[in-house]
């Protein structure tokens, strides 16, 4: 067996000593220069392994604990290694020819299955699990075992599996991440790595990364501070980059920055996987983030897209402001959410009538999502009616945990709330605010469940023929109201969408299908658009372009079913259209660097997309 591997390595010209005394570190895909070797033919002790038998060729068994030996791997996976490599493993789908050529004989049972049968079997197995977290774990295991099959399942069964790998189940997975932890996914950068972040980035096996989703775990969905266990979010978001937006998995890097947690329960939890300390703040935090941002650019270049995800708002706005002129950064909670909600509102105009400028908006929640959406609506109206932003903001009202945001509170407000402080007497209760402001659109971004009470929803129904109600908070437990409540309390008149999915509701003999207003509609296509055009900075006009493209994908049939978002089943086509519109705007603004501009951007976007079909191995 060793003779065969040696021959193979010779044939490849990648020859590496197996001897423990040579301290070489060889990673998949490493070049000889990268492993510090300028001689293409290293000394190979052929005798060491020839014959196999019981010889301890690596010295692995003989070595005492304090005697180091070298873990090594070759650049081309075959045999057992191939089966353990999630990027190339096809499991029972390896053909007879491939089994011969890649030393797989005997390592697999004799049957060969197609990818379609594997998919069918896997879906059948997943459906046996009644507990969502078990489905999540089965999907994560599959991703770790057979990446292409994982993505085939996710793409072909997107409506069924989105709630498994994403909200709501990913929320529970993050809460229990320590207990269910099996193999690490993504990159962990903690305070311990301060001063060494560039080295840490170099430990990641893929060299050409194009998109990073990063969290510090402080505001995971509406579940609060989950510290290092927030890793489930970047992992989940990036799997959507691939499944929904077609960005190749090898180009995606999930990162969690661990600066501690203030979650007392986690600090006491013996299975917690993060630093057991309270959160670093101020200069210590800023310095770590600054080192991270510089290291990322140094390692991956100017055009690496960094998506901030689920940071608490006291850091999120500041990070976006600090890096938006120096890096290609995008905050999904502020900007992606804004773009998806604006798309829903543009689409809804066909049902409720009027223009955006004719409507009045009331938000419960004035944080990242709330003020981000509000600002994009105001910008869109300002562009459409050519009025200053200060004017168009006046039709938008926000309520935070202290009540309606009004001028008398201005001094004490966080900076991102100040533009929304309008002239009005103080109001504490949402139901009272609804009656006073008379909104046509009610948007929940509070992270607190059950806050759209019967009173609130009935007040919306009494004011509007077709009240538009968006309960955006995630996961399902934090939704401001359920789909059933929205339809029942408005007697079937609401146009309703929520951040996490709800099943169709039957009311008075009619079936109502709620939409899902989630930034997952936007960020995969948006990111693809940036990447394929080589865009160097995010501009608000790109977010507007993404909204327009998404709204344009809602069909008459969708409207007839009461939907203001197209179903996720067509998401790849939707993402290609979003990507094309975003790229087109980037070219128009001179922000795109991939030249010449492809003539048909939709076709180009589609041609860039990763497909999970197995490849044939020579
Ligand atoms: N559907 C989607 O695509 C998205 C959904 N979200 C969801 O939105 C929620 C909020 O996220 P984000 O904006 O980032 O969070 P933030 O923490 O930035 O903002 C939360 C806001 O809600 C307010 N709030 C909290 N409790 C109440 C209450 N009882 N009554 C009224 N207001 C309250 C807070 O008030 P105060 O400022 O006074 O503390 C704050 O203004 C989360 O559940 C998240 O999952 C987020 C992004 C995308
Ligand atoms: C969807 C999302 O990004 C959030 O709830 O934070
Ligand atoms: Mg988020």
């Amino acid at each position: 067996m060793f003779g065969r591997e040696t021959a193979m390595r010779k044939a490849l010209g990648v020859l590496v000593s197996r001897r423990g005394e040579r301290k070489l570190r060889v990673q998949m895909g490493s070049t000889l220069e990268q492993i510090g070797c300028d001689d293409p033919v290293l000394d190979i002790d052929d005798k060491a392994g020839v014959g196999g038998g019981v010889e301890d060729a690596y010295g692995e068994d003989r070595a005492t604990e304090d005697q180091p030996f070298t873990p090594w791997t070759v650049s081309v996976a075959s045999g057992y290694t191939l089966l353990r490599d999630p990027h190339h493993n096809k499991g029972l789908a390896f053909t007879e020819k491939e089994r011969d050529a890649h030393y797989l004989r005997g390592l697999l049972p004799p049957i060969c299955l197609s990818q379609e049968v594997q998919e069918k079997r896997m879906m059948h197995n997943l459906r046996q699990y009644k507990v969502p977290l078990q489905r999540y774990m089965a999907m994560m295991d599959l991703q770790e075992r057979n990446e292409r099959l994982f993505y085939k399942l996710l793409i072909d069964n997107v409506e069924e599996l989105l709630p498994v790998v994403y909200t709501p189940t990913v929320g529970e997975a993050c809460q229990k991440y320590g207990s269910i932890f099996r193999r690490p996914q993504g990159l962990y950068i903690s305070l311990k790595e301060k001063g060494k972040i560039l080295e840490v980035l170099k430990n990641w096996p893929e060299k050409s990364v194009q998109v990073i989703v990063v969290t510090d775990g402080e505001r995971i969905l509406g579940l609060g501070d989950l510290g290092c266990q927030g890793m489930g979010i970047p992992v989940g978001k990036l799997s959507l980059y691939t499944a929904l937006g077609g960005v190749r998995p090898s180009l995606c890097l999930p990162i969690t920055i661990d600066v501690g947690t203030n979650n007392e329960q986690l600090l006491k939890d013996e299975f917690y996987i993060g630093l057991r300390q309270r959160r670093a703040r101020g200069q210590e935090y800023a310095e770590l983030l600054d080192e991270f941002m510089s290291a990322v650019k140094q390692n991956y270049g100017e055009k690496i897209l960094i998506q901030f995800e689920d940071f608490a708002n006291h850091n999120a706005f500041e990070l976006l402001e600090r890096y938006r002129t120096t890096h290609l950064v995008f905050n999904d909670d502020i900007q992606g959410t804004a773009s998806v909600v604006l798309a829903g509102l543009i689409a809804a105009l066909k049902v409720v009538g009027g223009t955006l400028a004719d409507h009045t908006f009331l938000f419960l929640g004035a944080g990242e999502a709330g003020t981000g959406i509000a600002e994009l609506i105001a910008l869109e109206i300002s562009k459409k009616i050519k009025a200053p932003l200060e004017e168009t903001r006046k039709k938008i009202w926000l309520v935070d945990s202290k009540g309606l945001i009004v001028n008398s509170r201005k001094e004490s407000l966080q900076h991102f709330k100040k533009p929304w402080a309008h002239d009005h007497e103080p109001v504490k209760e949402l139901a009272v605010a609804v009656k006073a402001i008379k909104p046509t659109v009610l948007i929940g971004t509070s992270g607190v469940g059950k806050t759209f009470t019967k009173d609130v929803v009935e007040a919306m129904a009494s004011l509007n023929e077709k009240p538009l109600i968006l309960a955006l908070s995630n996961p399902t437990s934090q939704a401001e109201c359920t789909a059933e409540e929205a339809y029942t309390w408005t007697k079937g008149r609401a146009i309703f969408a929520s951040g996490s999915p709800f099943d169709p509701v039957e009311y008075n003999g009619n079936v109502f299908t709620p939409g899902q207003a989630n930034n997952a509609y936007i960020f995969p296509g948006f990111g693809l658009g940036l990447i394929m055009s080589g865009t160097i900075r995010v501009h608000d006009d790109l977010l507007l372009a993404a909204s327009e493209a998404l709204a344009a994908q809602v069909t008459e049939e969708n409207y007839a079913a009461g939907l203001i978002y197209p179903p996720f089943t067509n998401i790849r086509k939707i993402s290609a259209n979003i990507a094309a519109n975003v790229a087109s705007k980037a070219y128009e603004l001179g922000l795109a660097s991939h030249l010449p501009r492809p003539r048909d951007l939709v076709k180009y976007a589609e041609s860039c997309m990763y497909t999970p079909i197995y490849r044939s191995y020579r």
Side-chain angles (χ1 to χ4, degrees):
M1 168 175 167
F2 291 157
R4 186 254 303 165
E5 282 193 0
T6 305
M8 190 178 77
R9 287 179 291 131
K10 273 183 177 156
L12 289 163
V14 180
L15 301 175
V16 180
S17 170
R18 328 187 103 183
R19 304 278 298 271
E21 56 270 24
R22 268 189 175 260
K23 291 200 177 123
L24 287 176
R25 181 158 172 259
V26 185
Q27 291 184 332
M28 298 286 292
S30 299
T31 63
L32 290 171
E33 290 80 0
Q34 278 168 331
I35 62 171
C37 170
D38 48 16
D39 182 353
V41 183
L42 293 174
D43 74 323
I44 297 289
D45 183 353
D46 275 321
K47 278 198 298 238
V50 175
V54 292
E55 192 184 350
D56 176 18
Y58 298 84
E60 195 169 342
D61 300 332
R62 261 178 291 127
T64 57
E65 275 186 16
D66 54 350
Q67 277 179 322
F69 72 95
T70 305
W72 66 269
T73 172
V74 290
S75 300
V76 174
S78 75
Y80 196 74
T81 317
L82 182 55
L83 292 179
R84 292 289 177 278
D85 174 0
H87 307 301
H88 300 110
N89 180 30
K90 302 201 259 184
L92 291 176
F94 280 113
T95 62
E96 298 287 354
K97 203 167 144 245
E98 287 169 336
R99 292 175 192 212
D100 281 333
H102 295 277
Y103 306 95
L104 295 169
R105 284 274 163 219
L107 299 182
L108 289 164
I111 199 77
C112 296
L113 296 182
S114 66
Q115 196 177 16
E116 285 65 34
V117 176
Q118 286 182 307
E119 179 178 0
K120 193 170 161 195
R121 185 190 51 184
M122 193 64 207
M123 286 307 296
H124 170 80
N125 290 346
L126 277 174
R127 287 173 187 142
Q128 305 303 307
Y129 294 120
K130 295 295 170 235
V131 178
L133 191 61
Q134 287 177 327
R135 292 187 182 191
Y136 175 88
M137 289 165 69
M139 282 300 280
M140 291 304 106
D141 282 349
L142 180 61
Q143 190 175 18
E144 284 294 309
R145 195 169 67 238
N146 183 336
E147 191 175 81
R148 281 181 184 268
L149 188 56
F150 169 83
Y151 283 112
K152 182 137 176 40
L153 251 71
L154 199 46
I155 292 167
D156 294 348
N157 307 274
V158 65
E159 300 241 357
E160 185 173 350
L161 294 181
L162 210 54
V164 176
V165 301
Y166 190 53
T167 185
T169 312
V170 71
E172 188 185 355
C174 289
Q175 289 175 309
K176 299 177 180 163
Y177 214 69
S179 313
I180 63 172
F181 185 85
R182 295 191 194 187
R183 296 181 79 183
Q185 292 172 293
L187 210 50
Y188 292 88
I189 297 177
S190 78
L191 288 169
K192 287 201 245 175
E193 279 72 56
K194 191 166 188 305
K196 297 181 270 194
I197 296 182
L198 187 59
E199 283 171 54
V200 175
L201 292 179
K202 288 186 190 300
N203 286 344
W204 186 249
E206 303 291 347
K207 299 300 161 211
S208 62
V209 169
Q210 292 205 305
V211 49
I212 287 173
V213 175
V214 59
T215 189
D216 73 355
E218 192 169 3
R219 197 286 277 140
I220 294 300
L221 308 178
L223 301 171
D225 181 353
L226 298 184
C228 195
Q229 303 198 159
M231 180 56 106
I233 295 295
V235 167
K237 291 272 177 184
L238 282 165
S239 68
L240 304 195
Y241 256 101
T242 300
L244 278 47
V247 179
R248 203 163 292 289
S250 61
L251 301 177
C252 300
L253 170 54
I255 297 185
T256 293
I257 296 193
D258 184 356
V259 294
T261 178
N262 292 349
N263 182 325
E264 296 298 336
Q265 215 180 324
L266 287 180
L267 287 171
K268 280 188 243 142
D269 181 351
E270 64 174 321
F271 300 136
Y272 180 55
I273 56 168
L275 290 183
R276 226 168 272 275
Q277 65 169 75
R278 297 185 71 77
R279 279 187 180 271
R281 299 276 189 219
Q283 196 180 341
E284 193 181 7
Y285 180 88
E287 280 175 9
L288 192 78
L289 266 290
D290 209 44
E291 183 187 339
F292 167 70
M293 294 301 287
S294 306
V296 163
K297 203 160 141 179
Q298 198 177 333
N299 205 40
Y300 300 115
E302 185 74 21
K303 284 179 267 179
I304 175 88
L305 169 61
I306 303 171
Q307 174 166 321
F308 293 119
E309 194 70 53
D310 291 11
F311 283 74
N313 61 38
H314 56 96
N315 287 319
F317 287 103
E318 222 174 291
L319 289 170
L320 189 59
E321 192 50 34
R322 189 170 330 139
Y323 296 108
R324 67 185 189 60
T325 51
T326 55
H327 293 65
L328 181 65
V329 287
F330 165 70
N331 184 302
D332 189 32
D333 301 300
I334 302 171
Q335 298 171 295
T337 314
S339 186
V340 80
V341 171
L342 178 60
L345 296 177
I346 294 172
L349 293 177
K350 288 214 175 167
V351 188
V352 295
T355 65
L356 275 185
D358 299 327
H359 286 269
T360 305
F361 305 86
L362 179 65
F363 287 77
L364 183 72
E368 295 168 65
T371 62
I373 301 163
E375 191 63 24
L376 203 66
I377 297 173
L379 181 65
E380 171 74 1
I381 299 176
S382 139
K383 283 186 180 258
K384 283 271 147 48
I385 65 169
K386 303 201 172 16
L389 262 180
E390 295 70 41
E391 277 307 307
T392 58
R393 283 183 184 134
K394 288 187 179 151
K395 294 292 290 284
I396 305 173
W397 295 81
L398 291 96
V399 172
D400 67 7
S401 65
K402 297 189 180 65
L404 190 65
I405 296 184
V406 290
N407 255 329
S408 54
R409 293 181 53 197
K410 198 157 186 175
E411 282 304 295
S412 62
L413 291 172
Q414 288 144 290
H415 66 92
F416 51 86
K417 292 180 185 168
K418 285 188 198 285
W420 309 103
H422 306 318
D423 281 332
H424 200 284
E425 64 200 35
V427 177
K428 284 256 175 273
E429 299 294 317
L430 178 64
V432 181
V434 170
K435 285 168 197 155
I437 304 296
K438 300 187 177 32
T440 51
V441 181
L442 178 66
I443 303 179
T445 52
S446 62
V448 184
K450 302 275 168 214
T451 36
F452 290 174
T453 57
K454 190 163 185 265
D455 256 13
V456 168
V457 175
E458 283 181 349
M460 283 299 290
S462 72
L463 292 165
N464 302 286
E465 179 50 36
K466 285 192 174 293
L468 185 41
I469 299 176
L470 307 179
L472 299 185
S473 293
N474 296 316
T476 316
S477 58
Q478 312 310 110
E480 282 78 7
C481 67
T482 64
E484 187 171 9
E485 288 166 343
Y487 294 123
T488 310
W489 293 338
T490 59
K491 300 195 167 35
R493 284 190 283 122
I495 297 167
F496 176 80
S498 52
S500 301
F502 280 106
D503 287 337
V505 174
E506 202 188 316
Y507 175 79
N508 252 358
N510 294 318
V511 175
F512 296 89
T513 309
Q516 191 176 351
N518 194 293
N519 49 32
Y521 272 111
I522 290 288
F523 70 80
F526 187 78
L528 177 65
L530 300 178
I531 293 169
M532 75 187 208
S533 57
T535 293
I536 50 164
R537 297 288 176 265
V538 168
H539 188 285
D540 283 345
D541 284 358
L542 304 186
L543 300 171
L544 296 178
S547 303
E548 278 165 22
L550 177 55
Q553 295 298 306
V554 188
T555 63
E556 290 304 328
E557 196 189 332
N558 301 150
Y559 286 123
L563 290 170
I564 53 172
Y565 292 100
F568 269 109
T569 32
N570 296 331
I571 188 66
R572 289 202 139 208
K573 179 179 158 269
I574 296 166
S575 294
N577 279 278
I578 293 174
N581 223 33
V582 168
S584 168
K585 184 55 81 177
Y587 281 106
E588 192 186 311
L589 296 176
L591 292 169
S593 67
H594 284 176
L595 298 169
R597 176 195 189 281
R599 209 169 318 143
D600 186 335
L601 284 166
V602 176
K603 275 216 177 91
Y604 183 63
E606 280 166 349
S607 75
C608 292
M609 284 184 164
Y610 163 87
T611 51
I613 307 300
Y614 289 145
R615 314 299 304 272
S616 299
Y617 299 153
R618 66 170 63 85

